[in-house]
């Protein structure tokens, strides 16, 4: 009977230890669940931000493509303007030569007119 009482006391202590350990495990599990909920909220927020970034990247890609097209058009126009400027410069050089020739002829004619007036 004494042994039974000892066994009973030991069993009660063991049961108390088990109950205490179960309580500690419940508290840890509750903490883990709380941490997981918090992590899920953060992951959801980050997912939302990544989606926004993806959307913005798509918009930026489109705008870069538009800019590339615009720059291409500007370069084409610049090339045309360079060609026109070169043609204008060549035309002006030709006109300068013509004016020099006309000025020289005018001087020659004036000289001839003076000589004719002297002869008369």
């Amino acid at each position: 009977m004494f042994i039974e009482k000892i066994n009973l006391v030991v069993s009660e202590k063991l049961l108390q230890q088990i109950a205490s350990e179960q309580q500690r495990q419940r508290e840890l599990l509750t903490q883990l669940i709380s941490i997981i909920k918090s992590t899920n909220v953060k992951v959801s927020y980050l997912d939302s931000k990544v989606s926004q970034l993806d959307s913005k990247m798509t918009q930026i890609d489109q705008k870069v493509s538009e800019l590339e097209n615009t720059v291409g058009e500007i370069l084409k126009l610049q090339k045309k303007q360079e060609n026109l400027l070169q043609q204008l410069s060549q035309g002006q050089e030709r006109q300068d030569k013509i004016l020099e020739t006309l000025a020289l002829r005018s001087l020659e004619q004036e000289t001839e007119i003076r000589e004719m007036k002297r002869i008369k």
Side-chain angles (χ1 to χ4, degrees), residues 68-83:
E68 286 175 342
N69 291 337
T70 302
V71 167
E73 291 299 318
I74 289 171
L75 291 174
K76 287 178 186 177
L77 289 173
Q78 182 182 8
K79 187 68 175 172
K80 285 181 181 178
Q81 286 178 343
E82 287 173 357
N83 288 339

Side-chain angles (χ1 to χ4, degrees), residues 4-23:
E4 286 178 10
K5 284 186 179 184
I6 292 176
N7 281 341
L8 186 60
V9 170
V10 169
S11 292
E12 284 179 14
K13 285 185 180 182
L14 186 59
L15 282 173
Q16 285 177 353
Q17 287 176 347
I18 290 172
S20 174
E21 181 63 24
Q22 282 180 339
Q23 182 61 33

Side-chain angles (χ1 to χ4, degrees), residues 13-111:
K13 285 185 180 182
L14 186 59
L15 282 173
Q16 285 177 353
Q17 287 176 347
I18 290 172
S20 174
E21 181 63 24
Q22 282 180 339
Q23 182 61 33
R24 192 176 75 78
Q25 293 294 327
R26 277 189 201 103
E27 289 171 1
L28 287 173
L29 186 59
T30 302
Q31 287 177 0
L32 281 172
I33 290 171
S34 174
I35 290 170
I36 288 173
K37 284 180 182 178
S38 173
T39 302
N40 285 343
V41 168
K42 290 177 183 177
V43 167
S44 177
Y45 175 77
L46 288 174
D47 256 354
S48 168
K49 288 296 182 182
V50 167
S51 291
Q52 289 174 2
L53 285 174
D54 282 345
S55 175
K56 287 181 181 179
M57 284 300 296
T58 300
Q59 291 173 358
I60 288 171
D61 284 344
Q62 289 173 348
K63 290 184 180 191
V64 165
S65 179
E66 290 172 10
L67 284 174
E68 286 175 342
N69 291 337
T70 302
V71 167
E73 291 299 318
I74 289 171
L75 291 174
K76 287 178 186 177
L77 289 173
Q78 182 182 8
K79 187 68 175 172
K80 285 181 181 178
Q81 286 178 343
E82 287 173 357
N83 288 339
L84 289 172
L85 184 60
Q86 185 178 8
Q87 290 173 1
L88 183 62
S89 178
Q90 289 172 350
Q92 191 169 3
E93 286 176 17
R94 193 174 68 241
Q95 285 179 353
D96 286 345
K97 288 179 184 177
I98 291 170
L99 284 175
E100 285 178 23
T101 303
L102 289 174
L104 183 60
R105 285 184 186 169
S106 176
L107 287 173
E108 289 174 350
Q109 287 175 356
E110 285 179 18
T111 304

